[in-house]
Amino acid sequence: FLFFWETAYAGRMKRWLPYVAVGFLALFVLWAIPVISVWPGIIAFDINVQHLVAPLQSAAGIQVFQFITFFGGVVGTILGILAVVAVFRHRPDIVARMLIAMVGESISVEYVKVMLHRARPEPVAHLAIPDTFSFPSGHSTSAMVLYGFLALLLYVHARNRFERILAIGVSAAIIALIGLSRLVLGYHYPSDVIGGFIFGAFWLAFTLSLPLHHKIYHEEVIDPTVL
């Protein structure tokens, strides 16, 4: 997906980004259908993955993953948005993409949760049960959008191949750890987390497909590979 972004801004594959967004949205729907219809294969998948993460649900593990899950929550997300706004305040198109993606995913996730009405699993230990529904995972969706967007910015600004790999690797690790934290803490089923990742990828692709640099600046970008 990161390579898609780079080539799209070079003008070679930009026309494909809307189709990528539609593809992720279709994949999300295809994933949601068996989840909501309680397909036995999904249930078995959730149970097997929950058994795999059970060893991490120690007292120390819960404390660690409570810290990690913070970065996918409301406060962590707001701090990430403010960091992007502060660094790229001279590029209103980048700020606009970020805000559209984050506001859009936040509102749509809550709507989908209510519409699909999937109950949450029992959280571990003394943790309180959230008062929202389970599918898709809001933390996972936000993590994919926020840290995926940051990965794109770091990738484009990287000076060499090592920095590009580092940008992708660190961002992917943060996204994966936030998703894992939702499982360890018992707030979501594994299928909720996967659904959140897919839905977040849709919002990323959709936002990147918007030609905001033309609408804001009213002129062609001389070097579209430079953010």
Side-chain angles (χ1 to χ4, degrees):
F1 189 81
L2 294 171
F3 291 100
F4 235 135
W5 161 270
E6 186 180 44
T7 53
Y9 258 70
R12 294 190 293 271
M13 299 179 68
K14 184 176 181 179
R15 65 184 182 276
W16 292 105
L17 277 172
Y19 300 103
V20 174
V22 172
F24 277 123
L25 183 59
L27 182 60
F28 175 73
V29 173
L30 291 175
W31 182 255
I33 291 174
V35 170
I36 302 307
S37 60
V38 197
W39 184 55
I42 290 291
I43 297 176
F45 168 76
D46 285 340
I47 292 174
N48 290 333
V49 175
Q50 285 172 321
H51 286 163
L52 290 175
V53 303
L56 300 175
Q57 294 173 328
S58 62
I62 291 173
Q63 288 184 343
V64 169
F65 283 100
Q66 279 184 306
F67 173 75
I68 292 173
T69 206
F70 165 84
F71 294 96
V74 175
V75 177
T77 299
I78 291 175
L79 291 176
I81 294 173
L82 291 177
V84 173
V85 172
V87 174
F88 292 96
R89 58 186 180 277
H90 63 292
R91 287 295 305 271
D93 56 326
I94 292 177
V95 174
R97 289 182 198 279
M98 168 66 78
L99 294 179
I100 290 172
M102 297 307 303
V103 173
E105 67 84 12
S106 178
I107 294 175
S108 60
V109 161
E110 293 307 314
Y111 177 78
V112 172
K113 282 177 180 285
V114 173
M115 182 176 64
L116 300 184
H117 213 78
R118 189 189 198 191
R120 289 181 182 264
E122 287 289 335
V124 300
H126 59 283
L127 302 179
I129 302 176
D131 57 0
T132 57
F133 293 104
S134 192
F135 184 88
S137 166
H139 279 65
S140 301
T141 307
S142 297
M144 177 61 75
V145 175
L146 175 59
Y147 298 104
F149 201 95
L150 290 174
L152 299 174
L153 297 178
L154 293 173
Y155 182 90
V156 173
H157 282 83
R159 294 168 295 182
N160 51 57
R161 190 175 188 85
F162 172 77
E163 290 185 355
R164 293 189 184 97
I165 294 174
L166 187 64
I168 297 172
V170 171
S171 300
I174 294 174
I175 293 170
L177 285 172
I178 290 174
L180 179 61
S181 73
R182 308 310 287 169
L183 305 182
V184 173
L185 299 177
Y187 286 139
H188 285 286
Y189 296 104
S191 52
D192 298 333
V193 171
I194 293 177
F197 287 158
I198 298 172
F199 202 42
F202 156 71
W203 275 104
L204 261 183
F206 170 75
T207 308
L208 296 178
S209 68
L210 299 176
L212 296 182
H213 52 286
H214 296 294
K215 293 182 179 180
I216 290 178
Y217 294 124
H218 302 291
E219 62 182 7
E220 294 293 331
V221 178
I222 297 175
D223 183 5
T225 63
V226 178
L227 289 177

